[in-house]
Amino acid sequence: GPLERRRCRYLHTGRACCQMVEVLLAALILVCSSVSTGSVGGYTGLPALGGIYYYQYGGAYSGFSGADGERAQQLDQRFYLLKLPIARAAMAVGGCLLVFPCVLILVGVLRVPLHFPTWLLIECTLDIVTAGGTVPALYYFFHSLLRVYDSSVCKEREQLYQSKGYQGFWCSLHGAEIAAGLLGCLAAMAYLLSAGLAVREYRTVHEQKQKPVQL
């Protein structure tokens, strides 16, 4: 009915579009964070597409023998455990960034700002805090990753695999990790834009509520 049409009309506004972009960016951050630690090793050949199956049945260590194979497995496990807390933290942040705009979209669809305009100022503050918090989060993310890649475990692992002719085990940032950082920057910009749109909407609603009083 008319009520449903009025509620869905919010989805065509600039604020709603910005919030849907925030949802998309958060989902991509989750994907990139999971890819960063999705497998124990990093062999880039076709068998590596098998993921857990490939490593479980020893395919990744086909070029090793004896003590070298056991050492490669140990280094993979230690390297995986070093990156796991970073990936979990990034996924937790991505999850929060995914839930927050979904809540704002629901609030907008329910037309809460029209009945309680102060909510728009609260939303603006939350957007600014979220955008500002993204900066130290990105710093922690890259600082922790670079510390892992600079560790002796990563260096020894890289040398061991290179000695067997394997590629893809370099101690440097991967594409998924760089993409997660870029997406985080875009998310911060989207939240700042959303904050500005919330202030503009507050002024519009406030002016509309003042008109009947003046008449």
Side-chain angles (χ1 to χ4, degrees), residues 11-215:
L11 298 178
H12 298 282
T13 62
R15 280 176 53 234
C17 292
C18 191
Q19 290 162 357
M20 286 187 282
V21 170
E22 293 165 4
V23 172
L24 176 61
L25 291 173
L28 292 175
I29 290 173
L30 274 174
V31 172
C32 292
S33 301
S34 62
V35 168
S36 175
T37 184
S39 61
V40 196
Y43 179 53
T44 57
L46 183 61
L49 299 178
I52 296 175
Y53 175 86
Y54 184 59
Y55 275 88
Q56 183 176 359
Y57 291 93
Y61 308 107
S62 59
F64 295 91
S65 60
D68 287 340
E70 295 180 0
R71 186 57 180 168
Q73 291 180 353
Q74 293 175 359
L75 291 173
D76 274 347
Q77 292 174 358
R78 290 174 61 186
F79 182 69
Y80 172 79
L81 292 176
L82 286 175
K83 290 186 66 177
L84 185 60
I86 306 171
R88 285 180 175 176
M91 293 177 66
V93 171
C96 294
L97 293 177
L98 181 62
V99 173
F100 179 53
C102 290
V103 173
L104 295 183
I105 292 174
L106 178 62
V107 170
V109 169
L110 296 177
R111 301 171 65 84
V112 172
L114 294 179
H115 305 288
F116 184 57
T118 308
W119 167 258
L120 292 168
L121 297 179
I122 297 175
E123 181 179 323
C124 173
T125 303
L126 292 175
D127 286 334
I128 294 175
V129 171
T130 304
T134 305
V135 177
L138 288 174
Y139 171 79
Y140 169 79
F141 178 70
F142 285 111
H143 178 72
S144 301
L145 282 176
L146 291 176
R147 187 170 56 186
V148 170
Y149 288 131
D150 195 44
S151 64
S152 58
V153 173
C154 184
K155 299 294 185 182
E156 183 179 354
R157 177 174 175 268
E158 179 185 30
Q159 293 176 0
L160 181 59
Y161 276 99
Q162 284 183 349
S163 67
K164 301 298 181 179
Y166 288 107
Q167 302 297 323
F169 294 86
W170 301 290
C171 292
S172 59
L173 295 174
H174 295 173
E177 296 160 353
I178 297 174
L182 294 176
L183 291 169
C185 294
L186 292 176
M189 296 172 61
Y191 276 106
L192 291 177
L193 177 59
S194 183
L197 293 175
V199 172
R200 189 181 69 175
E201 183 68 17
Y202 173 79
R203 292 176 179 174
T204 302
V205 174
H206 185 70
E207 291 175 358
Q208 291 177 351
K209 287 184 174 294
Q210 290 296 325
K211 287 182 181 179
V213 177
Q214 294 175 359
L215 291 175

